[in-house]
Each structure stands twice: as C-alpha cells, then as structure tokens.
Amino acid sequence: FTWAARGTQSLPLHERGVLVASMPVPSAAYTRASHLIRPLHTTAFRACLPSAPRCGSPRCLSSDSLNQPRRVVFLGTPDVAARSLELLIEASRAGEGGGFEIAAVVSQPAKRSGRKMKLTPSPVSQLATEQGLKLLTPPDAKDEEFLSELKTLDPDLCITAAYGCFLPRRFLDLPKKGTLNIHPSLLPLYRGAAPLQRCLEAGDEVSGVSVLFTVLKMDAGPILRQQQRPLDGSEQAPELLLE
C-alpha cells in the first residue's frame, strides 16, 4: 500500500489522458494512461480521470475545473491503510499533485477489542481525528445517511485501501472521476482478501501492488499502474505491507 501511496506524490491531477468513458476500456486507453502515469514509486494515486458516465468507470477529462483544488475522500480501516492516508496527507499539505484536499476520511465503526472489550476506533479513524480531518464511520457503504453526506461532499475522487466494505453502484456513481483502489498484488493474481498473505504462502518469487479503478466486480477494474517487488522467501506480510 505504501509503495502506491508514495507513488501518488508527483503526478498533477491535470496530467491525464482522455479515456473512453464506457466499460470495458479499449486497449488504446490503457496505453495512453500508462504513458501519462510515471513509475509507481514516484507517482500513482493521482491517476484520476474527470467526469462522464458512472459506476466507477474512468471519466473523460474536463478543463473547466483544472485550477480548483481536487476534493478527495479516502476510505480505509487497518494500519496499512493508515500509512497510505498519512502519505496522502503529506502530499496534500505540500501542495503536490496540482493541488488537492482530503475532504473526508471514511472508516469502519469502532469495535470492541482487548481483554476489557474497550470500544476502539480503527487506525485510520485515529489518524483522521489526530489530523483534524472530517471522519465518517457508517455501518457500511450502502447506508442512506452516509451516501447523502458523500453526495454533499461532492468528491472529485475516492481512494480506497483495505476499507473492508463492498461499494455499491450508488457509491461509485458519486465521485466525478471515479474511485481508485490500492491493492497489494499483481492483479489479476490474488483478487479479494489477504492477497499478499496468499502470495507468500504460495512461495511466489515476486509480489507487488496495483492501482486500479473500482467497478462492481471485485478487483476487476482497469489497472492504471503496477509495481513489482522481488521476494526472497524471508518476508513477513505485516512488515511487507508497510514497506
């Protein structure tokens, strides 16, 4: 995840090709996008594409609002997602990416944990609170109140990293430029939960991270960029996810 988040720190939001706004995306669109997105270790989340048709598909670029700060909503829950959020906060405050702001952070509700079963907010929730960011903790992404508030926020882009909830069509229709997901595998390998753990269990010689558009089918959207990471067999998933 942090490979991908570091990769988001140098590509201005206006440096986008115009992608066809329907699914599936033609191969020429993939080619144009890959030429505009620099190597993942120095670019990646700001590979968002502005408005057009909905349901998570890439959107066609509009020049009307290029000078306006982009409104980004981040969704995540565990420690690894908090690290991605931390890097995005740093990039936002440094004015990188052509100018964007984190309009809100979404995480799963606090859960009881430990011997005393104390109600504990997620690592992403804790970071958002510490940084003074607007925090939403809906029971799920289908919650009517949450969807109404997200619509009011009017996000340009949503970014997910281990959020842990299914994103319905009504959610995907809201961000103008779509929703990007940071996924720790070289898709299409290891779609779904615990991809890095499954990669290590399989004894693979290489792992990596993918940044892709979110569509209704799990981890099946257009891939914007991938970064490989060779493995020597000594890696542990918790440390590797935060590398």
Side-chain angles (χ1 to χ4, degrees), residues 195-216:
L196 182 57
Q197 290 85 338
R198 287 184 284 151
C199 172
L200 295 177
E201 289 170 1
D204 291 357
E205 295 182 353
V206 63
S207 183
V209 63
S210 303
V211 176
L212 67 154
F213 278 98
T214 300
V215 295
L216 288 175

